């Protein structure tokens, strides 16, 4: 099996056009300007995966005022899926958010997205709620949560 040499690193503004293209590739929609707004508030919660300096995946997270971690978006370029890149990005953002002391991490996923639900379940996310008609096409969202570690600051 072909195993690409993957690097996970923090997003930088020069990655923007590649992230935008990847967003369109993965979701057929473009929320990339919103990601840039989030990046301005949470520059250390936006990561990209690269192979030979090409951006092949990204993950965007944030911490709410209630100290809840949110994973806002996760995507891998179609041709690079099934190589562990999605899991590596997810592990990275979980680590970053938990180090910030979040009580839990929450995300929404399409009810029909079995691949993503499998990935999240395998990383100890549990289905806690359902939001009907959450997506533009009427698909429901499954809300998933993972209990965070409590980091003590002395
Ligand atoms: C979800 C996504 C990020 C996964 O990325 P990936 O790099 O292919 O994932 P990985 O190779 O790390 O696989 C991780 C796990 O996902 C699940 N998975 C991956 N491919 C799968 C498939 N074809 N069928 C079922 N489950 C699958 C498995 O649980 C897998 O773990 P395993 O390899 O131990 O069995 C990718 O499919 C994607 O970008 N999808 C479109 C965007 C999207 O749906 N994002 C999530 C929004 S909430």
């Amino acid at each position: 099996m072909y195993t690409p040499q993957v690097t996970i690193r923090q997003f930088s503004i020069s990655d923007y056009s590649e992230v935008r293209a990847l967003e369109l590739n993965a979701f057929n929609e473009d929320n990339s300007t919103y990601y840039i707004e989030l990046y301005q508030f949470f520059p250390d919660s936006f990561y990209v995966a690269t192979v030979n300096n090409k951006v092949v995946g990204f993950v965007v997270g944030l911490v709410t005022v209630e100290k809840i971690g949110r994973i806002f978006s996760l995507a891998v370029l179609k041709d690079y899926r099934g190589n562990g890149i999605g899991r590596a990005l997810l592990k990275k953002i979980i680590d970053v958010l938990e180090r910030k002391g979040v009580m839990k991490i929450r995300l929404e996923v399409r009810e029909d997205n079995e691949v993503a639900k499998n990935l999240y379940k395998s990383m100890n996310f549990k289905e806690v709620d359902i939001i009907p008609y959450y997506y533009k096409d009427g698909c429901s969202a499954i809300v998933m949560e993972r209990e965070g570690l409590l980091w003590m600051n002395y």
Side-chain angles (χ1 to χ4, degrees):
M1 192 181 95
Y2 164 67
T3 313
Q5 201 59 38
V6 182
T7 301
I8 307 285
R9 63 162 172 80
Q10 222 170 304
F11 170 85
S12 89
I13 288 294
S14 59
D15 299 318
Y16 174 70
S17 58
E18 285 182 281
V19 166
R20 182 165 183 269
L22 209 163
E23 164 90 359
L24 285 165
N25 173 282
F27 299 108
N28 278 328
E29 57 181 66
D30 183 8
N31 293 304
S32 56
T33 50
Y34 186 53
Y35 302 158
I36 295 298
E37 283 173 32
L38 289 178
Y39 172 69
Q40 282 157 0
F41 288 100
F42 307 100
D44 58 347
S45 302
F46 192 165
Y47 288 84
V48 294
T50 65
V51 173
N52 296 328
N53 295 321
K54 174 186 168 69
V55 175
V56 299
F58 70 88
V59 65
V60 186
L62 58 89
V63 179
T64 69
V65 285
E66 299 90 4
K67 276 275 184 199
I68 293 173
R70 294 288 313 268
I71 296 176
F72 205 77
S73 192
L74 167 70
V76 172
L77 210 51
K78 281 179 187 145
D79 288 351
Y80 290 81
R81 290 180 193 164
N83 290 298
I85 298 173
R87 186 183 297 283
L89 283 164
L90 182 58
K91 278 186 177 168
K92 181 69 190 180
I93 198 70
I94 288 171
D95 185 52
V96 166
L97 294 175
E98 289 188 346
R99 281 175 189 278
K100 288 174 182 288
V102 299
M103 318 289 275
K104 60 176 73 165
I105 301 176
R106 182 178 295 161
L107 57 84
E108 288 89 29
V109 57
R110 286 179 65 98
E111 189 177 27
D112 59 6
N113 192 342
E114 294 302 328
V115 172
K117 285 194 294 183
N118 282 344
L119 169 58
Y120 296 135
K121 280 178 193 162
S122 74
M123 294 295 291
N124 291 326
F125 282 82
K126 310 265 184 272
E127 297 188 10
V128 295
D129 202 358
I130 181 163
I131 310 174
Y133 308 110
Y134 185 79
Y135 295 97
K136 281 181 195 149
D137 65 356
C139 184
S140 302
I142 304 294
V143 181
M144 300 186 81
E145 282 182 358
R146 171 187 153 112
E147 294 299 321
L149 299 176
L150 288 176
W151 289 78
M152 305 294 285
N153 292 317
Y154 293 100

